Amino acid sequence: TDSEDILIMTTLGSCIAACLWDRRAGIGGLNHFMLPEPGSSSDAGEGQGGRYGAYAMELLINRMLKRGASRAGLEAKVFGGGQVIAGMDSLHIGERNTRFVLDYLRTERIPVVSKDVLDVFPRKVCFFPASGKAMVKRLAATQASAVLAGERAAIGRAATTSSAGSVDLF
C-alpha cells in the first residue's frame, strides 16, 4: 500500500547519502553519491552522472516533486563523508562531499534537520521514506575495507554501465 514504510539501506565510507523527505506528502527518497562533481568533462559521460552529487541531488529532488512532494516542504538528513582511508588525507574526498551537499542544500533552501558526517567512521544508514525516519550506525574501523571495496566496485560499475544512477522512492 502507499502508506507502507519500506526500508532503504546503504553503507558509506567517504560517500554521502542524502535522505530527503516531505512531511506533508509522506514522500521520501535517498541518494548515494561518490564525488561532488566530475573532475573533467569526460568524467560526466552518459550513464555516469549518478555518482556525482550535483546530478544525484537534482535527480532525487525532481523525482520526489513528480510524485507529489513540495519543494517548500522538503527537509534533509545527511550522512557519510568519513575519512576512512588512512594516508589519503590529501584528497579530502569525504570533506569535499560533505561541504558540497551542505552548500547545495543551503542554496536550495532545504533545511538539514539531522546529520552525521565526517570523522573516520564508515556508516550504515537505514531510511524509511514514508515516515522520514533515519537511523545511522557507525561501523568499526575494521569494517572500512569492506565498505571501500564496495565503493570502488560501484565506481567501476558506474564507468561501464549505461544507467544514469539510481534513486529509490516509495
Side-chain angles (χ1 to χ4, degrees):
T1 67
D2 288 338
S3 63
E4 182 180 3
D5 205 357
I6 296 174
L7 171 66
I8 304 172
M9 292 191 306
T10 192
T11 306
L12 306 162
S14 59
C15 292
I16 289 284
C19 304
L20 298 185
W21 185 54
D22 180 332
R23 182 180 309 272
R24 290 177 296 229
I27 296 171
L30 174 146
N31 64 21
H32 177 150
F33 63 86
M34 299 171 199
L35 299 166
E37 55 196 25
S40 68
S41 58
S42 64
D43 285 346
E46 181 65 33
Q48 297 184 40
R51 66 180 169 168
Y52 299 112
Y55 182 78
M57 293 303 298
E58 184 178 316
L59 182 65
L60 177 58
I61 291 169
N62 288 338
R63 291 219 179 144
M64 288 180 65
L65 295 177
K66 285 181 182 178
R67 295 191 56 111
S70 162
R71 181 176 281 277
L74 295 179
E75 56 187 52
K77 296 178 180 181
V78 179
F79 306 100
Q83 182 63 41
V84 297
I85 307 174
M88 295 289 281
D89 298 338
S90 63
L91 296 177
H92 304 289
I93 295 170
E95 184 180 315
R96 288 174 34 220
N97 281 339
T98 301
R99 185 173 45 247
F100 163 80
V101 75
L102 296 176
D103 287 348
Y104 183 97
L105 292 165
R106 184 172 31 260
T107 299
E108 295 295 321
R109 294 187 171 94
I110 299 172
V112 177
V113 298
S114 180
K115 66 183 176 185
D116 184 34
V117 295
L118 300 172
D119 217 326
V120 297
F121 304 102
R123 294 164 170 92
K124 180 176 181 178
V125 175
C126 300
F127 181 60
F128 295 89
S131 69
K133 180 178 181 179
M135 299 179 293
V136 62
K137 179 178 182 178
R138 290 180 174 190
L139 303 175
T142 55
Q143 295 173 293
S145 60
V147 172
L148 292 170
E151 286 184 0
R152 286 188 189 111
I155 289 171
R157 283 193 306 274
T160 59
T161 184
S162 63
S163 71
S166 64
V167 176
D168 294 318
L169 296 174
F170 299 92

